[in-house]
Each structure stands twice: as structure tokens, then as C-alpha cells.
Amino acid sequence: MSIGELLVERGVLTPEQLAEAQSVHLRQGTRLDRVLLDMGYVDERTLLRALSEQLSIPYVELTPDQVDLDLLRAMPAKLVHRHGLIPLHKRNGQLWIATSDPFDVYALDELRMLLGCHVEPVLTARGEIDAIIKNHFGVAGETIETLMDETQVSTSELADRYDVEDKNLLEEAQEASVVKLVNEILLEAIKERASDVHVEPYEGELLVRYRVDGVLHRANVPAQIQRFKSAIISRIKIMSGLNIAEKRLPQDGRIKVRLQGREVDIRVSIIPMLFGEGVVMRILDRASLILTLRDLGMQEDHYRIFQKLIERPHGILLVTGPTGSGKTTTLYAALNQIVSDEIKLITVEDPVEYHLNGVNQIQVQPKVGLTFARGLRSILRHDPDVVMVGEIRDLETAEAAVQAALTGHLVFSTLHTNDAPSATTRLLDMGIEPFLVTSTVEAVLAQRLVRRICPQCKEPWTPDALPEDCPPPPDGVIYRGGGCKACHNTGYHGRVGVFELFPLSEPIRELILERRSVGSIKAEAIKEGMVTIRQDGWRKVLSGQTTPEEVARVSQSTG
């Protein structure tokens, strides 16, 4: 029975699907099993189980502890990387090899001749093989091997061995490998949902780290990558349109790539350091941007109040928090909620991170004098209804925002403060008069991001003790992530916001007019029912979204 007939008998395929796949198979000369995978009629694991039955070859769900690391290190790199052959164990002169392609007999025969032993194949999914390869050889391990092979010969030897044309061809081949190496680092970062890629030169080492869910993790890259750090930095500079000859001054650039049908923007910052140039690449994936207020993680009470605030005709609405706390995402979600044909929205940003349909966006250009303040004053002549200023950094921008609110515009902006009540005193410290703050600022939203518990390994947990300000859960149980393959054993996958919403009531406006301390203003806000960031975090702990450790990590300085 053929593999197609076997899958039909099992009910995986319909006869019509098999007939269509066979037609493509005959027309293109591609193997039937590959056609079925490419057409999406069957997944790889189902196909491999059927092939296991048809060919009498065992099928396994491959895990790292099944791999013999000594055998793996002794394996020819080409057969591991290009053919996906992973040694499991060797007994009595027989070597069991995991493969995703039982028909790749040439690779198995080559391995048999090289190692001088009988080889027994075992079927497993290619994704599991790739995970083992990445885990033990690092990201771009095959590319590093290729670069090592290419650079075994010194430049002086090359000059003697090759004429000018051949040397140019060799240099192009080396450049192609570096291009592939940088691409693999970026693709791996996007695959791992990283928000930033850090390339850090140290003495004798080039460290690559990914920031995933707000926490840095060391990327598993081969140690030999250190030898190519200059080429890697130069390639990143070329991709982002920077000067590759300038190694003494900081540079900023931008890369735009297309991955699986979606555009990904990468902001690049390069700074000279002691042992070379350090690079940080901020990945701005439009597909991962949250654009609805519901998805931000607001509790129902916060959502109802915030929804009313963003629909007001005028005033200032501030979002505060440290860098990387999701302020821009919240503002975009608010704009996306109110955008319509009846409202004109204009933003002044540095930089414009995401493009929103129906919103006029301006990029700040300090080199030519287009600052936040100047941009804001200019766009008021464009008859906007709603204005977003990326950040209030100085008195000039704050005064422009206040003037815009006084003249009947709704202004969104951000500030860097630890909690919501501190935003009002920050404006006073900048030099804004108290009566202007109380007559324009409608509310302040402070926020942080905490990691979500991984849904794949979420489990009940009874901690030994809870902090004094955390109310005990109703059933005595909270949750945590046990650690699994999906979350790389961290117990977390994704992030959710925790919020502190601070509307300015009349008593609070009186305190601001009297220039009272932040403590007094915060005490009054809590008396009126304000939920602090820490309290909102505990609400998310009790609802099973995050853990006490995460709440403590982001709320230590906010109370």
C-alpha cells in the first residue's frame, strides 16, 4: 500500500486530495510525501507516523536527553546540519540515527562509510532535529562552520594562490556567508519573539543576547563567532544604511525586512565600546502590536473609565512608566479605538514605530529643527481633533501640549515617572503653572508589563507565604508555570499590562493648586479608590495571569 493510500485509509486524506496531490507529483516530479506537506493536506508528524508503519522504521518524539552528545560532537558537521542526522545511541556496532527523511539513503550510506558501522534510522520531526542542532551547535552553527572553512587560509597565502579575479569571487563568497549569519541571528530573534537583540563585544568573546518578554536571555551562538565580529558589525551597518568606516562615534539607523508576508522594522543603535562596537537592534513587529484596549490587560473598571477619557473633546491624557513598559502600545491602542472619518488625528513621534491607517504621523527630525514642540505647534494649524506627542521631555514641549489642550484639542502623550500621581508634580517641576495643570490634565495612566504564565505548563501552586499587602486567594491556590518546551522552561510566555489609573478629581486639583507633595496627592487618590500598580498586579495574580514574583519585580518602586 502506498503512503497516499495508507493516509486515505486512515481518514487523514480524502481521495480527491490524494488525486490532486498525485497530479502535482507527476507534473513536477516532486516526491508525493513532500507534495502532501507543501499542500498542507497532512502535518509532518502524521506523515512520519504513517511512513513508520509503511517502512517498519520506529518513530520517536525526540528530546535532548535522548541524544548522545559525544557521538553528536564526533559526527561530520555537514551530515548534521545539511541532512539533519542526529545520533541517539550506539550498541554492538550499530548506530541509531534520528532523521526526518527516510529516503535520504545517500546521507545514511555516507555516514555508514565514514563511521564504519551499521546505521539504523529512526524517524522524528525536522523541527525537533533543528531544536537539537540549535541547542548544541548554536544559532547559525552551520554558517559559522562554513566561515571557518573559508578563513582557514591567511590573506598572504591567498595572494600567492589566487589571481585578482578569483580573490574577488572568494571575498564575495565570504560576504554571502556573513549575510547569512546576520540573517539567521535576526530570524532566530523574531522566531523567539525577542523585542531587542544585543550584540556585545568583550575581550575574546562576542556575546549575543535576546530580550524576550522583558528579560534578557543569552543566545546560543558558537564561540567561533568572535572571529567575525567586525564583519558582523559591518554587515549590520550596511543593512541599516550607516557609515561602515566610522567606528568612533555612535550611529543610529533602521532596517526593514519582510518575513513570511509581514514587514518587520528594526531600529539599530551602534555605540563604540572598549573591545569594539556594541549593537542593539529593537525589533518592531507590526503583526505583534496590540491594537485593541481589551487586549492590553485592563480590568473592567479601568477599561470603562479609560474608554470615557479617550472620547473627551479636549484635555491632556498622560501615560507614564519606564522605557519598555508598553506606553506607546497603549497610546496606539487608544488612537486605533477612536480613529474614524469624522476625527482628524495627528502624531509627532521619535521615531514613528508603527503605521496606523487614518492617522497622520510625523517623524521628529532634530537635525533640521523639527522637535516635538515645533512639530506640535505646526500641526495645530492643520485643524486636528486629537494630537499625540511621543514624549514630553522639556518645558517647551509641555507648554505646547498645554496650549493645544486649552484651544480645544485632546492631547495624548507620555512621561517617565514611577507612578501616576508623580506626573502632575513632574509638570510643575518643568515650570508649568499649577492652574494650567489642573485645567488641562484629565487623567494619568501609569503602567508596567509583567510576564504571563505559560498556558502550556500552567499549574496550581500554594506558596509558603504571601506579602502582607496581597489578599489571600479565595480558594488558597494561585498559579505558576512549571516550565516546558513552549516557554523554554521559563514558565512564562508573553506579557500583560498592570495599570494605575489616576483621574483628576476636584479635591486632587485643589491639592495640585496648593503645590502639595506627591505623597499627599497619592493618599487622596487612594482614598478616592485609585488601584495602584501593585494592587492591580495582585489582581492578575489571583486571576491566574501572572505570579507574585513578577508583580514584585515591576512594582517595588511604586508601592
Side-chain angles (χ1 to χ4, degrees), residues 16 92 121 133 261 331 340 375 386 397 409 433 438 483 492 495 543:
E16 292 77 18
N92 302 324
I133 292 173
L331 288 177
S340 70
V386 179
T397 308
H409 302 88
E433 291 295 330
T438 57
Y492 300 100
R495 289 188 288 178
S543 62

Side-chain angles (χ1 to χ4, degrees), residues 6-64:
L6 182 60
L7 291 170
V8 170
E9 185 182 83
R10 288 187 169 191
V12 176
L13 284 180
T14 65
E16 292 77 18
Q17 289 173 329
L18 176 59
E20 185 181 355
Q22 286 174 330
S23 175
V24 175
H25 157 64
L26 294 172
R27 186 169 66 252
Q28 297 181 352
T30 310
R31 279 169 30 193
L32 180 61
D33 59 320
R34 296 298 179 203
V35 173
L36 291 170
L37 282 174
D38 292 342
M39 297 180 75
Y41 288 160
V42 63
D43 64 80
E44 186 183 21
R45 285 182 172 80
T46 302
L47 177 65
L48 288 174
R49 289 191 182 97
L51 287 172
S52 171
E53 181 179 324
Q54 184 191 37
L55 303 175
S56 298
I57 299 175
Y59 169 81
V60 297
E61 299 278 350
L62 188 61
T63 57

Side-chain angles (χ1 to χ4, degrees), residues 330-341:
T330 298
L331 288 177
Y332 277 133
L335 291 177
N336 196 58
Q337 185 91 358
I338 62 176
V339 65
S340 70
D341 292 339

Side-chain angles (χ1 to χ4, degrees), residues 219-258:
N220 185 16
V221 295
Q224 297 92 333
I225 199 173
Q226 152 70 15
R227 293 180 53 180
F228 312 103
K229 68 178 181 181
S230 296
I232 291 169
I233 303 303
S234 295
R235 173 58 189 165
I236 293 172
K237 286 181 177 180
I238 290 169
M239 293 174 71
S240 49
L242 302 178
N243 182 0
I244 63 172
E246 180 56 73
K247 299 183 179 180
R248 300 166 300 172
L249 295 174
Q251 297 188 73
D252 295 311
R254 194 162 190 160
I255 302 171
K256 182 174 286 188
V257 297
R258 193 166 187 85

